[in-house]
Amino acid sequence: MELAVYNIKGEDTGRKVTLNDEIFAIAEPSEHAVYLDVKQFLANQRQGTHKAKERSEIAGSTKKLGRQKGGGGARHGDINSPVLVGGGRVFGPRPRDYRFKLNKKVKALARRSALTFKAMNNQIMIVEDFTFDAPKTKDFVNFTKNLKLFGQKILLVLPGQNKNVFLSARNLPEARIITASDVCTYRILDNKMLVITEGSVDVLNNLK
């Protein structure tokens, strides 16, 4: 698969790059592998610090509120009962770890499948390597306008860390910057357009 290379002004440079078909055009992309990888990513983001007090943890008297029979109503125990306002919660949430294991081969298949889906939907754009002289949000906004992607959710893949580009896009909620070595299934899918710099293509072509 070949794609044209654009510069930061949105002009076609006349060059083309070749995307590895074993990464960007696999024969049988797996939606289930993508589902599992995204599920694991989101599960790993959860803090799991939720907690509600149960009956034994409520600070209140344990004295029985009234006699067992003859009160004309239901039986009651102490004031910490879950059926009373201010009482404990039955089977409330407790701190837990939501992380789970996923085999490396499944994660690799999911990443290749996500890139294949992007390529099938024409949601990949290649731009030549660039940088900014200083961190300026205006420069990055002009960059997206030149590519006709302003206002769209994009993921820009760089070959390595670039402080000026990262800081220029930091204040834009619809833009995310990531290095080629950190590309994952969730980040690939969580955008409208995948913008890959020319220097990142070699890294992505050799993903395992």
Side-chain angles (χ1 to χ4, degrees), residues 64-185:
K64 187 173 174 62
L65 295 178
R67 45 191 300 198
Q68 180 76 354
K69 293 184 177 181
R75 300 165 295 182
H76 280 301
D78 56 49
I79 200 172
N80 304 325
S81 171
V83 300
L84 298 178
V85 175
R89 181 172 175 185
V90 180
F91 304 128
R94 294 185 175 183
R96 58 165 290 192
D97 185 1
Y98 285 91
R99 291 178 294 180
F100 64 92
K101 182 181 180 298
L102 202 61
N103 292 336
K104 290 182 179 180
K105 289 185 178 180
V106 175
K107 293 178 71 67
L109 174 60
R111 185 170 55 238
R112 294 197 302 270
S113 298
L115 290 171
T116 298
F117 289 138
K118 281 292 183 183
M120 290 170 55
N121 294 319
N122 297 320
Q123 293 180 342
I124 297 180
M125 179 177 287
I126 309 297
V127 297
E128 62 182 6
D129 294 330
F130 70 96
T131 187
F132 297 137
D133 296 332
K136 287 186 179 180
T137 303
K138 183 178 180 180
D139 289 343
F140 196 89
V141 169
N142 290 333
F143 165 71
T144 59
K145 287 182 177 179
N146 292 336
L147 296 179
K148 298 180 180 179
L149 298 176
F150 180 69
Q152 298 185 33
K153 197 170 185 180
I154 67 171
L155 176 68
L156 176 62
V157 183
L158 300 177
Q161 296 290 341
N162 189 316
K163 186 177 180 180
N164 287 345
V165 175
F166 173 78
L167 293 178
S168 298
R170 183 172 58 176
N171 290 333
L172 300 174
E174 67 274 9
R176 179 175 288 274
I177 311 298
I178 196 172
T179 59
S181 58
D182 293 331
V183 166
C184 65
T185 303

